[in-house]
Amino acid sequence: MPPNIELLCGDMQLELIGRNMDHKRREDDALGHIPWVFITSCVRYFLEGYENMQGITQNEEDWVVFIDTNPSFSIYTEMALLAAERLIIPINADDFSREAIVAMLDLVYGIDLHNIPTQFQHCKKRMFSHKAQEYDVRRPKIHLLINNRVTTYNLRSVAAFGDMATSSLSVLAAAYDNHSECFVPRPPTTSPSRNPLPAINHYFIDVQDFHTTGILSLYTGCPLDDLKGKVHLFSKVVNASKDQVATYIPILRALIEKL
């Protein structure tokens, strides 16, 4: 790994204590101790402790922590949300992603676009959004929506991918119109785009499917810039195409600029 990167790996054993942690944070509040806040904030406390130990100040822009979570709303997802300042949302070209965005807006921010029936409203008291508001804890602001694994033709997204992305963007646009405080503030001007939703487009980017090249990079742990020659997989030897790598590098650079 490059010397400027530190990796804290996940551990399958976490699943063994997940239910116990969730049970513990439901205990009654005591004087000076709120179990839900304390347990859900553990990752945030860890990062703050690391910053203090390393002497990192809040103004150091070269100190960035990325937290990758499973696509489910478990206690570990909630711990990551309380630790993070910005939220990056990857989607695919399917209707499941659109519904997932609707659910995310409600679970994280309490933005109900589906109008939950009255008989289910009492269940919201246990939701992350309700607890976070009750205890007045910081939640991340929406930073970027990544339309992942896009298929392109002549440098444009294939119609189906573009249409599905627009559908997902329309959901975010509806939330932005009434809850812009949940989004990272936009700069005064943004570059023009093909997307018909200009206000929300600042928070969106297409990322092309990297196909075999992406698989090789993930398998070897090798950055795309350094990927070359023949790569030995489990039972096959696959050649890393220089032409494909050269095509994908600008896409990654555009993503980095958005980040």
Side-chain angles (χ1 to χ4, degrees):
M1 290 179 57
N4 64 334
I5 294 179
E6 295 185 31
L7 179 65
L8 181 64
C9 298
D11 193 319
M12 292 299 294
Q13 307 308 319
L14 291 174
E15 296 299 327
L16 297 178
I17 62 173
R19 291 182 182 272
N20 185 56
M21 293 173 67
D22 197 23
H23 176 75
K24 285 287 186 181
R25 68 176 182 166
R26 296 183 190 215
E27 294 179 353
D28 294 335
D29 298 350
L31 183 63
H33 178 68
I34 304 174
W36 189 91
V37 174
F38 178 76
I39 292 178
T40 316
S41 300
C42 279
V43 175
R44 180 176 178 178
Y45 296 152
F46 169 79
L47 293 177
E48 290 173 349
Y50 183 85
E51 289 176 348
N52 292 332
M53 182 179 66
Q54 298 293 330
I56 299 170
T57 66
Q58 293 294 327
N59 296 324
E60 290 195 46
E61 297 181 356
D62 58 349
W63 161 248
V64 182
V65 177
F66 288 92
I67 307 173
D68 184 29
T69 67
N70 289 332
S72 61
F73 216 81
S74 66
I75 181 174
Y76 302 115
T77 307
E78 296 181 14
M79 292 168 71
L81 287 169
L82 285 198
E85 296 180 1
R86 300 186 177 194
L87 187 62
I88 301 171
I89 309 165
I91 64 170
N92 291 322
D94 54 51
D95 202 41
F96 299 108
S97 288
R98 185 181 188 279
E99 292 304 307
I101 293 174
V102 172
M104 179 275 297
L105 290 170
D106 193 12
L107 290 168
V108 179
Y109 305 104
I111 301 174
D112 181 11
L113 299 180
H114 269 180
N115 298 319
I116 296 176
T118 305
Q119 62 267 34
F120 294 109
Q121 287 292 337
H122 71 281
C123 298
K124 298 190 70 171
K125 293 183 179 180
R126 292 191 175 184
M127 286 175 54
F128 174 85
S129 59
H130 185 277
K131 291 288 187 181
Q133 184 174 2
E134 177 184 357
Y135 294 120
D136 192 26
V137 294
R138 183 195 70 193
R139 283 168 284 181
K141 295 184 182 296
I142 296 173
H143 180 56
L144 190 62
L145 182 75
I146 300 176
N147 191 24
N148 192 31
R149 302 183 67 181
V150 171
T151 298
T152 60
Y153 179 73
N154 287 341
L155 301 182
R156 287 190 173 186
S157 299
V158 171
F161 286 87
D163 192 48
M164 290 303 302
T166 300
S167 176
S168 296
L169 271 178
S170 66
V171 174
L172 273 189
Y176 183 84
D177 287 343
N178 298 301
H179 302 277
S180 60
E181 73 279 359
C182 297
F183 293 73
V184 173
R186 292 189 301 137
T189 58
T190 57
S191 57
S193 171
R194 61 171 178 77
N195 199 283
L197 303 167
I200 204 67
N201 183 71
H202 173 74
Y203 304 95
F204 174 82
I205 187 171
D206 279 330
V207 173
Q208 184 179 341
D209 193 335
F210 288 0
H211 301 290
T212 300
T213 306
I215 295 174
L216 297 179
S217 178
L218 287 172
Y219 176 79
T220 60
C222 178
L224 284 181
D225 267 333
D226 298 329
L227 192 63
K228 58 186 177 181
K230 297 185 182 299
V231 177
H232 292 262
L233 297 178
F234 292 102
S235 59
K236 293 183 180 297
V237 177
V238 182
N239 186 57
S241 170
K242 292 183 179 180
D243 292 338
Q244 287 185 339
V245 170
T247 300
Y248 299 145
I249 294 299
I251 299 172
L252 283 181
R253 287 176 178 162
L255 174 60
I256 291 170
E257 289 178 6
K258 278 279 190 177
L259 292 176

